C-alpha cells in the first residue's frame, strides 16, 4: 500500500497558473460585452441594497441611491433576532444536505463509473430521468408521506427531501469526473493488495477536491435559497429559514420592503463569503471538467 499513496494524476501544465494576459485593442468588443453582462448581473444586487437603505415612506425611484441612508431596516431585522434563527437553520440544513449528497453521491458515482454493465446503464438512465422531474409536481405526495412519518418541522425531514432532489445532479457530476480518471490507477492499487474501499478513499477521493467544491457551491446555493418545500415543511417559527424570514415582512395589510431587503442582504452574505473563499477551486473544477470532457 505504500506505493499507492504515491500515485497521482499528471495535471495539465500551466493551466491554472496566474498568468497576466496582455490587453488586445482588437478585442475591445469582448470587453464591452463583458461589461454589459456584468452590469446586468450586478443590477439586481444594487436594487436590493438600494431598497434596504430606504425608509418605509420613501417611494422615489429604486435606481436613484437613497439620500439620506436609512439604517433602521438593518437595526429592526437584527433586533428581532429572527435573522439569526434563519441563518442557523439554513446552515444546519445546508451542511447536512451537502454531507449526505457528497458521501452518497461520490460513492455511487464510483460504482457507476468503474462498473460498465447494462444494469449500471439502466441505473444511470433512471438517475438522469429523475433530474427531469419538477419537485413542485410531487409536493403533495411527498408532504403526505412525510406528514405520516412525522417528518415535518424537523431537520432530518428537510435534509432527506432536499438530498433526494439534489443527488441525481451530484452523481452525474461525480460520475463524469471519475470516468476521466485512468483505470490504471485502480489496477495498480489492486495489484498492491488494496481493496475497493481502499482504492476509493486513498486513490479516487483525493482527486475529487475540485468537483466537490463545485457541488458545494451549486447545491449549497440551491438549498440555502430553497423556499417552496421549506414553506410547507417547516411550519414552526423556530424552524424558519432565511427565505421564510423574508416572507414574514409581507402581509395582506402592508409590505415592509426595506426590512425584507435588509434581511435578504444579510442572508446572502454567508454565500458570498463562502464563494469568495472557494472560487479558485470552483473555477479550477470548471476548467478541468472542460479539458477532460
Amino acid at each position: 500500500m505504500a506505493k499507492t499513496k504515491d500515485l497521482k494524476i499528471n495535471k495539465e501544465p500551466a493551466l491554472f497558473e496566474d498568468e497576466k494576459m496582455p490587453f488586445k485593442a482588437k478585442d475591445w468588443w469582448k470587453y464591452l460585452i463583458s461589461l454589459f453582462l456584468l452590469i446586468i448581473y450586478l443590477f439586481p444586487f444594487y436594487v436590493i441594497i438600494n431598497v434596504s437603505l430606504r425608509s418605509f415612506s420613501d417611494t422615489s425611484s429604486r435606481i436613484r441611491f437613497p439620500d439620506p441612508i436609512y439604517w433602521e431596516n438593518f437595526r429592526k431585522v437584527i433586533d428581532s433576532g429572527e435573522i439569526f434563527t434563519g441563518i442557523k437553520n439554513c446552515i444546519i440544513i445546508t451542511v447536512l444536505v451537502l454531507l449526505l449528497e457528497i458521501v452518497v453521491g461520490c460513492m455511487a458515482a464510483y460504482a457507476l463509473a468503474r462498473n460498465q454493465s447494462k444494469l449500471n446503464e439502466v441505473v444511470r438512465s433512471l438517475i438522469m430521468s429523475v433530474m427531469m422531474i419538477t419537485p413542485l409536481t410531487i409536493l403533495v405526495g411527498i408532504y403526505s408521506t412525510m406528514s405520516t412519518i412525522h417528518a415535518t418541522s424537523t431537520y432530518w425531514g428537510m435534509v432527506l427531501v432536499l438530498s433526494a432532489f439534489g443527488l441525481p445532479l451530484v452523481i452525474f457530476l461525480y460520475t463524469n469526473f471519475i470516468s476521466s480518471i485512468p483505470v490504471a490507477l485502480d489496477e495498480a492499487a489492486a495489484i498492491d493488495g488494496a481493496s475497493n474501499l481502499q482504492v476509493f478513499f486513498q486513490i479516487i477521493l483525493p482527486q475529487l477536491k475540485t468537483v466537490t467544491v463545485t457541488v458545494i457551491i451549486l447545491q449549497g446555493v440551491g438549498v440555502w435559497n430553497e423556499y417552496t418545500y421549506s414553506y410547507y415543511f417547516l411550519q414552526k417559527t423556530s424552524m424558519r429559514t432565511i427565505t421564510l424570514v423574508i416572507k414574514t415582512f409581507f402581509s395582506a395589510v402592508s409590505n415592509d420592503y426595506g426590512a425584507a431587503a435588509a434581511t435578504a442582504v444579510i442572508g446572502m452574505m454567508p454565500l458570498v463569503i463562502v464563494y469568495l473563499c472557494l472560487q479558485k477551486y470552483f473555477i479550477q473544477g470548471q476548467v478541468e471538467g472542460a479539458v477532460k470532457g
Side-chain angles (χ1 to χ4, degrees), residues 23-34:
F23 176 80
K24 297 180 180 179
K26 64 179 181 180
D27 294 334
W28 63 270
W29 60 274
K30 296 180 181 179
Y31 296 101
L32 184 62
I33 293 177
S34 300

Side-chain angles (χ1 to χ4, degrees), residues 10 14 62 69 76 104 121 144 154-155 157 182 193 228 236 258 262 270 275 279:
N10 293 329
R62 298 289 187 252
I69 296 177
K76 182 194 305 182
V104 176
E121 288 298 325
S144 177
T154 61
Y155 289 126
T228 304
K236 294 181 180 179
Y275 177 76
Q279 63 174 333

Side-chain angles (χ1 to χ4, degrees), residues 38-181:
L38 180 64
I39 294 174
I40 291 178
Y41 281 119
L42 291 181
F43 183 73
F45 294 97
Y46 170 77
V47 172
I48 196 70
I49 294 174
N50 195 343
V51 174
S52 68
L53 297 175
R54 291 176 178 272
S55 63
F56 184 80
S57 59
D58 189 348
T59 58
S60 59
S61 175
R62 298 289 187 252
I63 299 178
R64 183 179 62 84
F65 198 76
D67 185 23
I69 296 177
Y70 186 75
W71 295 103
E72 289 300 319
N73 292 323
F74 288 93
R75 186 174 303 173
K76 182 194 305 182
V77 170
I78 294 174
D79 290 343
S80 68
E82 292 186 0
I83 183 65
F84 300 110
T85 300
I87 291 177
K88 181 199 70 174
N89 292 332
C90 276
I91 291 176
I92 293 175
I93 294 174
T94 303
V95 170
L96 292 178
V97 169
L98 289 177
L99 284 176
L100 185 59
E101 288 182 349
I102 290 172
V103 172
V104 176
C106 64
M107 296 185 74
Y110 177 62
L112 292 174
R114 286 298 189 254
N115 299 321
Q116 301 295 332
S117 63
K118 292 184 177 180
L119 177 60
N120 275 359
E121 288 298 325
V122 172
V123 173
R124 186 179 302 181
S125 299
L126 290 175
I127 292 175
M128 293 296 296
S129 63
V130 172
M131 293 174 60
M132 303 298 107
I133 299 176
T134 306
L136 191 60
T137 60
I138 54 178
L139 172 61
V140 176
I142 294 178
Y143 180 81
S144 177
T145 302
M146 301 301 283
S147 180
T148 302
I149 61 176
H150 306 289
T152 57
S153 294
T154 61
Y155 289 126
W156 67 270
M158 279 298 298
V159 169
L160 286 180
V161 171
L162 298 180
S163 298
F165 287 125
L167 270 174
L169 177 60
V170 174
I171 294 175
F172 174 75
L173 292 174
Y174 275 120
T175 301
N176 289 343
F177 196 89
I178 294 175
S179 297
S180 66
I181 300 176

Side-chain angles (χ1 to χ4, degrees), residues 1-20:
M1 284 306 298
K3 297 181 180 179
T4 61
K5 295 182 180 179
D6 299 330
L7 293 173
K8 294 182 179 179
I9 296 178
N10 293 329
K11 295 185 178 179
E12 308 294 337
L15 261 180
F16 311 112
E17 295 180 359
D18 295 332
E19 298 180 357
K20 294 183 179 180

Side-chain angles (χ1 to χ4, degrees), residues 200-211:
F200 174 75
F201 284 106
Q202 297 185 19
I203 305 300
I204 302 300
L205 194 59
Q207 310 297 332
L208 303 181
K209 181 173 63 175
T210 53
V211 69

